[in-house]
Amino acid sequence: MDSAELVEVTSEAELRELIPEPVERAANKARPRLHELDRQWLAGDLPSRARIAQTLESPDESMENLERYYGPEYAKKLYA
């Protein structure tokens, strides 16, 4: 099947033909609470990509540098 082809799935059996059952570890994965970014997303108040990067990936980097890096040019690099 071409990855660009859309397929309507109407049953679990059809889904399992496309995507197998997850491994037990993944199926049983649980978190005792939501991460703060999950809460913000659910509230419709998701922070900028720069803020997410600072929180999760680059806590020592300045927001100014991260905002510059993740500015409008960043999306152009992603989808070029």
Side-chain angles (χ1 to χ4, degrees), residues 24-43:
E24 184 178 351
R25 182 174 179 212
N28 294 332
K29 185 177 179 179
R31 293 189 289 170
R33 61 189 173 282
L34 292 174
H35 187 279
E36 180 57 32
L37 292 174
D38 297 329
R39 295 173 197 267
Q40 292 172 1
W41 179 80
L42 289 169

Side-chain angles (χ1 to χ4, degrees), residues 49 69-80:
R49 176 63 182 102
Y69 180 81
Y70 289 111
E73 295 300 312
Y74 181 74
K76 290 178 185 176
K77 290 184 266 184
L78 286 178
Y79 305 110

Side-chain angles (χ1 to χ4, degrees), residues 1-79:
M1 175 175 63
D2 185 324
S3 62
E5 182 182 341
L6 296 178
V7 176
E8 183 177 354
V9 176
T10 59
S11 70
E12 183 177 350
E14 290 177 349
L15 176 64
R16 293 299 164 218
E17 287 179 24
L18 298 170
I19 304 171
E21 288 280 342
V23 295
E24 184 178 351
R25 182 174 179 212
N28 294 332
K29 185 177 179 179
R31 293 189 289 170
R33 61 189 173 282
L34 292 174
H35 187 279
E36 180 57 32
L37 292 174
D38 297 329
R39 295 173 197 267
Q40 292 172 1
W41 179 80
L42 289 169
D45 188 27
L46 190 63
S48 68
R49 176 63 182 102
R51 177 65 63 200
I52 292 169
Q54 188 180 51
T55 301
L56 299 176
E57 303 160 11
S58 306
D60 297 329
E61 191 65 58
S62 73
M63 275 305 296
E64 180 180 336
N65 286 342
L66 290 168
E67 286 172 347
R68 189 177 316 113
Y69 180 81
Y70 289 111
E73 295 300 312
Y74 181 74
K76 290 178 185 176
K77 290 184 266 184
L78 286 178
Y79 305 110

